[in-house]
Amino acid sequence: MSGSERERTIGATSAELWDRALRAVPGGVNSPVRSFASVGGQPFFVEKGDGAYLEDRDGRRYLDFVLSWGPLVLGHSHPVIVEALRTQIGRGTSYGAPTAEEVELAERLIRLVPGIEMVRLVNSGTEATMSALRLARAYTGRTRFLKFTGCYHGHADPFLVAAGSGVATLGLPNSPGVPEASVRDTALLPFNDLEAVEQLFDERGDELAAVFLEPVMGNAGLILPNPGFLGGLRELTEAHGALLVFDEVMTGFRVGLGGAQERFGVVPDLTTLGKVIGGGLPVGAFGGRSDIMKMVAPAGPVYQAGTLSGNPLATAAGNAQLEWLEVHDPFPELEVVGRKLVDGLLEVLEEVGIEASGRSLGSMWGVFFHSGPVSSFEDASEADIERFGRFHGEMLRRGVFLAPSPFEAGFLSVRHGEEEIEFTLSAAREAAKAVA
Ligand code: KE4
């Protein structure tokens, strides 16, 4: 590539790039949670990823627990992904016409995810949830829907009220630019508060198009559903003609091959997916009962479209990653690694008297600087965010990259083994002393 930008980039350090990025890109990043705003310091610029590790522009290596915020369950540059992309790239990058690989990915999702009978591929989780909400409203003829505080469903207007992830991290309970009309029909309740949901249904059940949730919260740290919560939502939505929508953009193929709906045995009417199903390429999907999905254009009247939907590179990488997961089923092993990591971290923090709680689930994990239990965003908000920020910096200095936000889950890949866990716990022992 020629041009002054390229010439100026060769050999540029993270610090130099950060300075330029701040002038060229809002906040210097293309997604807020990458900015380190809530943990202090500034982001490193990545040169490459390899397995469980990242290398920055200054040659520093980091053990990566962010993994692109979830997609890379096989780790960086896994050979099956590289090979799939290498094969496809020579045949073109996008056609705007159907391909066999889109059908293959759709059929795979239908076979693996209990609640999906038909599916539409899109380009991001935001597109998936935005489209699923439109479809739920069309199918039920209702506009009001319920979400839970701390659950993040992407940045489409109707969801940006007390969202988790970047919005919670940045303390933006509502985003400017979201018209009141867009959120007037968004009801908000605390996660795991089934009684409050029952009361809402008693009062306005016939107005609700859907209950929309992350079945396991990953955007407020890792928060599990209380026993009976998901089943209770299933009963209430069925009794009142509302749809149950599981946003599994993060939990899909992360807490098990069939996602949270298979793990907890509660099947939603619609499911949204993303991240893992694209192997690191831009992708999303929404799917569910075929009687609902048949309302989506051009089969039905609910419009939804996308230039790059089902993109051949994304479907090549997604099919390769999902096929590997199905053949090798790494989830039992990931479960063991995750438990060992979290148990070790809690032990290390307790040794220096830092109150903490946490747990893992499949290839996701989370630790709160909070004595626990943490079963809602409201609980998570009481964690010691300032101490987490200092701990994040101490771990980074010791070569461990944790999510730069207390309101995010951690991830594992199949490349995170015994050695990586020991390295992390050793760094954590020193970091914990430094922030005690
Ligand atoms: P995207 O539009 O970022 O592909 O997906 C939005 C989304 C929807 N639903 C859930 C449950 C999600 O976790 C996400 C995106 N997750 C964040 C991480 N917490 C993406 C990271 C970022 O915003 O940069």
Side-chain angles (χ1 to χ4, degrees), residues 35-59:
S35 72
F36 281 37
S38 66
V39 294
Q42 61 193 54
F44 54 87
F45 280 63
V46 177
E47 178 67 18
K48 65 178 180 178
D50 176 24
Y53 296 87
L54 285 172
E55 185 176 314
D56 73 11
R57 296 282 298 195
D58 309 307

Side-chain angles (χ1 to χ4, degrees), residues 175-369:
S175 170
V178 174
E180 199 280 329
S182 299
V183 295
R184 183 184 306 137
D185 294 312
T186 308
L188 265 181
L189 286 174
F191 190 76
N192 272 324
D193 189 343
L194 190 57
E195 272 180 36
V197 180
E198 283 165 351
Q199 186 180 342
L200 176 67
F201 269 97
D202 287 345
E203 293 162 2
R204 316 187 68 159
D206 58 355
E207 295 173 35
L208 290 170
V211 173
F212 226 102
L213 71 153
E214 296 175 60
V216 174
M217 287 180 74
N219 287 287
L222 182 71
I223 299 176
L224 268 60
N226 290 341
F229 181 62
L230 298 180
L233 296 180
R234 179 68 283 179
E235 287 168 20
L236 283 166
T237 46
E238 254 160 27
H240 292 269
L243 298 186
L244 181 61
V245 186
F246 277 4
D247 178 356
E248 297 222 44
V249 167
M250 189 184 278
T251 54
F253 304 97
R254 272 273 168 202
V255 301
L257 211 47
Q261 56 194 271
E262 180 180 72
R263 183 152 188 158
F264 290 92
V266 176
V267 180
D269 301 298
L270 292 176
T271 299
T272 53
L273 295 169
K275 296 181 191 271
V276 169
I277 71 168
L281 278 287
V283 74
F286 64 101
R289 284 173 25 202
S290 50
D291 63 318
I292 303 172
M293 290 302 293
K294 283 175 180 167
M295 289 191 73
V296 178
V302 180
Y303 198 68
Q304 188 281 325
T307 303
L308 297 173
S309 295
N311 174 272
L313 292 173
T315 54
N319 276 317
Q321 181 150 267
L322 295 189
E323 183 175 5
W324 193 97
L325 289 176
E326 204 177 349
V327 167
H328 297 275
D329 188 8
F331 291 102
E333 174 60 21
L334 285 164
E335 201 81 50
V336 171
V337 173
R339 196 171 308 119
K340 196 171 286 187
L341 172 66
V342 172
D343 290 350
L345 288 172
L346 294 179
E347 191 179 311
V348 158
L349 292 167
E350 188 184 7
E351 280 166 5
V352 295
I354 295 177
E355 288 195 327
S357 63
R359 63 159 299 156
S360 63
L361 190 74
S363 62
M364 293 173 66
W365 60 276
V367 169
F368 292 101
F369 281 28

Side-chain angles (χ1 to χ4, degrees), residues 31 33 69 124-126 152-154 165 214 219 247 249-250 275 408:
S31 199
V33 283
W69 301 95
S124 70
T126 293
Y152 177 67
H153 302 295
S165 187
E214 296 175 60
N219 287 287
D247 178 356
V249 167
M250 189 184 278
K275 296 181 191 271
E408 294 292 347

